[in-house]
Amino acid sequence: MTAAIRGICLDATDDRKLAEWWCSVLGYRLKLGTAHEMKGKWLGSIEDPEGKGPLIWFQQVPEGKTGKNRLHFDLLGDVDEILALGASVVTASSEENQWYVLADPEGNEFCVGTGDGVLT
């Protein structure tokens, strides 16, 4: 093995706000420092409380998103609930593709499967 994925990083103009939004979608929590890492302070990432999902980092950048993502999340979930949290529809589900392309509040695209649990 040459490398292993440590986490996934999203650029954001408001990194904390976007991190909190993704926490509400994924059931994650803000990763806080331990006694050795700025105890109790947010470390710029979110974590799966069950330890099963990847660590997701948020990097503050001055510019907004322009253009299409080259990498995105594929989720299984309830589209209506995610939209109610503030996502927007980029492409709706169709007969051929039982998934939606949505965007988070900063415009990062992600897919949500609505069919049999298999994203195509």
Side-chain angles (χ1 to χ4, degrees):
M1 176 173 72
T2 303
I5 294 174
R6 176 176 178 229
I8 300 165
C9 185
L10 291 176
D11 288 351
T13 56
D14 189 337
D15 55 337
R16 175 73 179 250
K17 185 176 179 181
L18 192 61
E20 290 171 349
W21 186 84
W22 276 103
C23 281
S24 67
V25 170
L26 298 173
Y28 273 42
R29 64 180 177 214
L30 296 175
K31 183 169 174 54
L32 302 178
T34 66
H36 303 289
E37 339 166 274
M38 301 174 5
K39 184 174 182 173
K41 291 192 176 189
W42 183 54
L43 299 178
S45 60
I46 63 175
E47 62 185 351
D48 179 348
E50 296 179 12
K52 296 178 183 176
L55 188 67
I56 303 174
W57 294 89
F58 294 83
Q59 177 173 296
Q60 189 168 15
V61 296
E63 72 280 352
K65 181 183 169 294
T66 59
K68 185 181 181 306
N69 291 12
R70 301 270 321 243
L71 176 74
H72 67 269
F73 299 135
D74 282 342
L75 308 178
L76 295 174
D78 187 305
V79 171
D80 292 330
E81 288 182 21
I82 297 169
L83 291 172
L85 292 170
S88 57
V89 176
V90 175
T91 307
S93 175
S94 69
E95 288 278 330
E96 292 179 14
N97 297 309
Q98 293 187 336
W99 47 266
Y100 280 76
V101 178
L102 302 182
D104 70 19
E106 290 211 11
N108 300 300
E109 295 105 355
F110 60 98
C111 293
V112 180
T114 62
D116 61 4
V118 177
L119 297 177
T120 57

